[in-house]
Amino acid sequence: MTATLKQIARRTGKSITTVSRALADYDDVSPETKALVRRVADELGYTPNLLAQRLQKRRSDTIGLILPTFGPRFSDPFFSEFLAGVGNAATEHGYDLLVSTQAPGDGELQVYRQKVQSHQVDGFVIVRTRRQDARIQYLQDAAFPFTAFGRMEGDLDFPFVDVDGVEGMRAIGKHLVGLGHRRIACLAPPADLLFTDHRLAGLREALAPHGLALPDDQIINGDLTQKSGFDAVEHLLSRSQAPTAIAACNDLMALGAMSAIQGRGLAVGKDIAVTGFDDIPMAEHSHPPLTTVHQPIYQIGKLVCDMLIHLLRGEALSSRQVILAPKLVVRHSCGSAPQPAVA
Amino acid sequence: MTATLKQIARRTGKSITTVSRALADYDDVSPETKALVRRVADELGYTPNLLAQRLQKRRSDTIGLILPTFGPRFSDPFFSEFLAGVGNAATEHGYDLLVSTQAPGDGELQVYRQKVQSHQVDGFVIVRTRRQDARIQYLQDAAFPFTAFGRMEGDLDFPFVDVDGVEGMRAIGKHLVGLGHRRIACLAPPADLLFTDHRLAGLREALAPHGLALPDDQIINGDLTQKSGFDAVEHLLSRSQAPTAIAACNDLMALGAMSAIQGRGLAVGKDIAVTGFDDIPMAEHSHPPLTTVHQPIYQIGKLVCDMLIHLLRGEALSSRQVILAPKLVVRHSCGSAPQPAVA
DNA sequence: ATTGACAGCCAAAACGTTTCGGTGTATGAT
DNA sequence: ATCATACACCGAAACGTTTTGGCTGTCAAT
């Protein structure tokens, strides 16, 4: 049995009210009483019952994060780093983090609805936004607090943080063209994710001035896993006109691509260039180290969560919509002599 | 404003008691009343307020999982897969999962204590147990429900799941010796983790019959990250007598090792053999694919969580202490012609 | 007619907290 | 003496549930 206010009240001979107010340092409690109450509270090892506190305060001091994962085997460094960012920001401000996994689809909205209606969480962090995002539409309609990593199609005005994917892939494109590549293939994420558009657009923008296009058959949609990158490249290399460069839209697929290339006895960087996007820790220590675009995922998680907490506290947001500039990180996967970064 | 029992009571002309009992399908409520109450509840979109429910039931229906991570940049596929397993098991049984990150050390126990005393969670899943584990000692003393992935030194009797690390590394050792390796180095985890002992012991057991030892200078302790594997091998290869095989105690360090080897222009599998432990998805798609020991991390997470839920429900555990047999997975990182698995 | 059983319903207490609106008692000013 | 003021404290209600222990009316059996 853990201690309650009632027990402290009995032990000190004060009322529950006074004990509560003493612990909360109200100034209508005498210093002597405060000292007494605190001493007894310590003796009994008192910790407020959060369940009761939350019921009375009508808030849960909890932030919800629902990971949109397919299938059980889920092992994405992107998510774990993001999670760490969100989690640490939450802890820092005294919030709890409620984590759930739920594949996109029919059940998904139900999970959000349930958590909202049962007062289980005070706000949500949304990750991996989609072109038409039912989660965002629902939360917006319900006027329930949330922040997102990623944007949405249309002009819904909600608070988010995103990385400028157009700019990032443009940098990649310029880099590859600058190295003389003309046949470039792209490993794209699923089409319902909005950032797919951004990244393809950026790549196209870089190619266009050189009279280069990105034909549909040079775009292969994967599911962001290493395996899908591997499979895509197996397919690509079995065709007659193999590309000289492969721009993957995330590092995991790039790593899979490298492995497929090497599996065929070709050298990454020499025979075929490969680039990624994310700059996961793995990218630095692959062989060859991966040229990619850095996204500060941990910081983004932290920022998104901080923004949400501001919202929950009714504080003003310094900026509701943040778009971060990505940074090209040139390593060795496009040739062994890295060039100075192309801004 | 969301609906409450009180509102349904008013609308139906019944008492709060009756409404509550109708929704819970008690049989002292007439079928007509039940139907009426349910209809109105649906109309109002009633969802029970979990905060109130939990206070009254004196349990939180929440499981705590505190990830022992160092530093902010945390991106371990091991953890994300384990998390998915725990999370899915929890969801399946109607439990919430509260996730926190906290580096091992002074603050750690405080976090556990706080969550226990404030009734925030009903039980804990402990991961990455240590030789002397203060978390386990505390929870055991407090008679607070928990299950662990991993054992502890001494004879504390608590429910856990573990993989037989001795057996796993023995298989690795036999495999390497069978391939003719005589100078074998080991990339070990931090010494305070108990499984470090098991893995080293297993490796030694495999070497001993062949008159081979594992001298201290052939053991390098890393921190389980890819970078530490990379650094360790850089160090190893700069010495006069380089090993012909490197047995890493997890895949991430093995991958880092491979990258360091390749960075020196050596061929993994031909010049130096490398092995891992875990069989993360990455292992299959590295180049060359990594020979390693498979641990069903997702299933372990699920099992550990299922066990905890049984405990919470007061149900009997079919087995309190589970030790799983690991499986050697031979790929190409010890030579390009994989041999049949050594049991 | 009286009893007992049963079906259907409900008031009130409880979970542990916070907060509103007091009450009583000194102290000092008039 | 009276009034105002400040101080220290507290009872009771509230948050939204669940559960205990009733109560009332009907019907069949005596």
Side-chain angles (χ1 to χ4, degrees):
Chain A
M1 260 314 289
T2 48
T4 66
L5 287 185
K6 204 194 240 176
Q7 291 170 30
I8 302 180
R10 198 166 24 225
R11 280 275 263 269
T12 54
K14 304 292 174 186
S15 72
I16 294 182
T17 304
T18 301
V19 172
S20 170
R21 298 179 76 85
L23 292 173
D25 207 24
Y26 276 66
D27 53 10
D28 64 352
V29 179
S30 74
E32 296 78 35
T33 305
K34 276 186 194 172
L36 172 65
V37 166
R38 291 205 182 116
R39 196 169 51 73
V40 173
D42 275 0
E43 275 171 29
L44 298 180
Y46 172 74
T47 313
N49 183 320
L50 276 185
L51 270 45
Q53 220 167 36
R54 287 171 176 182
L55 172 61
Q56 142 70 31
K57 295 203 155 148
R58 258 140 308 184
R59 50 191 168 77
S60 61
D61 288 328
T62 301
I63 286 170
L65 174 60
I66 297 178
L67 267 8
T69 64
F70 295 95
R73 243 198 136 179
F74 141 67
S75 152
D76 191 324
F78 176 92
F79 277 135
S80 41
E81 204 167 331
F82 185 76
L83 176 69
V86 174
N88 288 347
T91 303
E92 203 175 286
H93 294 100
Y95 279 79
D96 280 341
L97 182 62
L98 185 68
V99 176
S100 224
T101 58
Q102 169 70 41
D106 284 347
E108 194 184 23
L109 217 51
Q110 199 40 45
V111 174
Y112 279 86
R113 215 188 305 267
Q114 202 276 333
K115 301 228 178 294
V116 167
Q117 298 205 352
S118 66
H119 297 252
Q120 226 177 141
V121 300
D122 291 344
F124 276 109
V125 166
I126 301 283
V127 60
R128 199 157 276 174
T129 56
R130 304 192 270 277
R131 189 188 284 290
Q132 292 297 332
D133 204 308
R135 301 170 293 174
I136 292 179
Q137 260 145 5
Y138 163 64
L139 292 173
Q140 187 90 321
D141 284 354
F144 197 81
F146 73 99
T147 53
F149 176 13
R151 283 164 275 180
M152 224 183 104
E153 216 170 52
D155 49 2
L156 235 45
D157 173 57
F158 61 92
F160 66 79
V161 176
D162 202 0
V163 164
D164 189 342
V166 177
E167 180 56 35
M169 281 306 268
R170 188 159 42 205
I172 288 282
K174 275 191 190 165
H175 181 64
L176 289 174
V177 171
L179 292 172
H181 291 282
R182 291 295 173 267
R183 274 203 317 285
I184 299 175
C186 182
L187 266 35
D192 62 333
L193 300 177
L194 183 55
F195 75 79
T196 304
D197 288 17
H198 296 147
R199 301 208 180 156
L200 289 178
L203 189 54
R204 288 205 164 98
E205 280 180 26
L207 302 189
H210 303 268
L212 299 170
L214 189 62
D216 276 353
D217 67 345
Q218 294 301 310
I219 301 176
I220 304 199
N221 287 93
D223 63 2
L224 296 170
T225 65
Q226 199 166 4
K227 178 166 182 6
S228 80
F230 185 91
D231 293 345
V233 170
E234 286 281 306
H235 174 70
L236 228 37
L237 296 188
S238 67
R239 300 202 303 214
S240 52
Q241 276 271 38
T244 64
I246 295 174
C249 286
N250 73 334
D251 285 353
L252 234 33
M253 290 199 293
L255 260 18
M258 280 179 33
S259 161
I261 291 166
Q262 291 166 336
R264 299 212 156 205
L266 301 171
V268 172
K270 225 171 82 199
D271 300 320
I272 300 187
V274 174
T275 63
F277 204 111
D278 281 349
D279 196 23
I280 58 178
M282 205 81 170
E284 190 180 346
H285 295 103
S286 65
H287 182 75
L290 185 64
T291 290
T292 187
V293 172
H294 182 75
Q295 297 201 75
I297 300 173
Y298 177 82
Q299 276 81 359
I300 292 172
K302 208 153 162 16
L303 179 56
V304 168
C305 187
D306 280 341
M307 281 168 65
L308 177 59
I309 289 172
H310 271 85
L311 236 44
L312 292 177
R313 298 206 165 138
E315 299 162 4
L317 248 42
S318 55
S319 46
R320 258 173 81 77
Q321 316 197 130
V322 179
I323 297 187
L324 301 170
K327 207 168 124 264
L328 182 67
V329 179
V330 178
R331 298 204 179 95
H332 299 247
S333 63
C334 301
S336 52
Q339 328 250 327
V342 177
Chain B
M1 259 310 291
T2 48
T4 66
L5 287 185
K6 204 195 240 175
Q7 291 170 29
I8 302 180
R10 200 167 22 224
R11 280 274 264 268
T12 55
K14 304 292 174 186
S15 72
I16 294 183
T17 305
T18 301
V19 172
S20 170
R21 298 179 76 86
L23 291 173
D25 206 25
Y26 276 66
D27 53 11
D28 64 353
V29 180
S30 75
E32 296 77 36
T33 305
K34 276 186 194 171
L36 173 66
V37 166
R38 290 203 183 117
R39 197 169 49 74
V40 174
D42 274 1
E43 275 171 29
L44 298 181
Y46 172 74
T47 312
N49 183 321
L50 276 184
L51 271 45
Q53 219 168 37
R54 287 171 175 180
L55 171 61
Q56 143 70 32
K57 296 204 152 147
R58 257 139 305 180
R59 50 191 167 79
S60 61
D61 288 329
T62 301
I63 287 169
L65 174 60
I66 298 178
L67 267 8
T69 63
F70 297 94
R73 246 201 132 175
F74 141 67
S75 150
D76 191 324
F78 176 91
F79 278 134
S80 41
E81 204 167 331
F82 184 76
L83 177 68
V86 174
N88 288 348
T91 303
E92 203 174 287
H93 294 99
Y95 279 80
D96 281 341
L97 182 63
L98 186 69
V99 176
S100 221
T101 58
Q102 169 69 42
D106 285 346
E108 194 183 22
L109 217 50
Q110 199 39 47
V111 174
Y112 279 86
R113 215 188 304 266
Q114 200 277 333
K115 301 228 178 292
V116 167
Q117 299 206 349
S118 66
H119 297 250
Q120 225 176 143
V121 301
D122 291 344
F124 277 109
V125 167
I126 301 284
V127 60
R128 199 157 276 174
T129 55
R130 304 191 271 278
R131 190 188 284 289
Q132 293 297 334
D133 204 307
R135 301 170 294 175
I136 292 179
Q137 261 145 4
Y138 163 64
L139 293 173
Q140 187 90 323
D141 284 354
F144 197 80
F146 73 100
T147 53
F149 176 13
R151 283 164 275 180
M152 226 183 104
E153 217 170 52
D155 49 2
L156 235 43
D157 172 57
F158 61 92
F160 65 80
V161 177
D162 203 359
V163 164
D164 189 342
V166 177
E167 181 55 35
M169 281 307 269
R170 188 160 41 205
I172 287 282
K174 276 192 190 164
H175 180 65
L176 290 174
V177 171
L179 292 173
H181 291 281
R182 291 295 173 268
R183 272 203 319 284
I184 299 175
C186 182
L187 267 34
D192 61 334
L193 300 177
L194 183 55
F195 75 80
T196 303
D197 288 17
H198 296 148
R199 301 207 181 157
L200 289 177
L203 189 53
R204 288 204 164 99
E205 281 180 25
L207 302 189
H210 302 268
L212 298 171
L214 188 61
D216 276 353
D217 66 344
Q218 294 301 311
I219 300 176
I220 305 200
N221 286 93
D223 62 3
L224 296 170
T225 65
Q226 201 166 4
K227 179 166 182 6
S228 80
F230 185 91
D231 293 345
V233 170
E234 285 280 307
H235 174 70
L236 229 35
L237 296 188
S238 66
R239 301 199 303 212
S240 52
Q241 276 271 38
T244 65
I246 296 175
C249 286
N250 74 333
D251 285 354
L252 235 34
M253 290 199 293
L255 260 17
M258 280 178 34
S259 162
I261 292 166
Q262 291 166 335
R264 299 211 158 206
L266 300 171
V268 171
K270 226 170 80 197
D271 301 319
I272 301 187
V274 174
T275 63
F277 204 111
D278 281 348
D279 197 22
I280 58 178
M282 205 80 169
E284 191 180 347
H285 294 102
S286 64
H287 182 78
L290 184 66
T291 289
T292 186
V293 172
H294 182 76
Q295 297 200 74
I297 301 174
Y298 176 82
Q299 276 82 359
I300 292 171
K302 207 153 161 17
L303 179 56
V304 168
C305 187
D306 279 341
M307 281 168 65
L308 177 58
I309 290 172
H310 271 83
L311 237 43
L312 292 177
R313 299 208 165 134
E315 299 162 5
L317 248 42
S318 54
S319 45
R320 258 173 81 77
Q321 316 197 131
V322 180
I323 297 188
L324 301 171
K327 208 170 123 264
L328 181 68
V329 179
V330 178
R331 296 206 179 92
H332 300 247
S333 62
C334 302
S336 52
Q339 327 250 329
V342 177

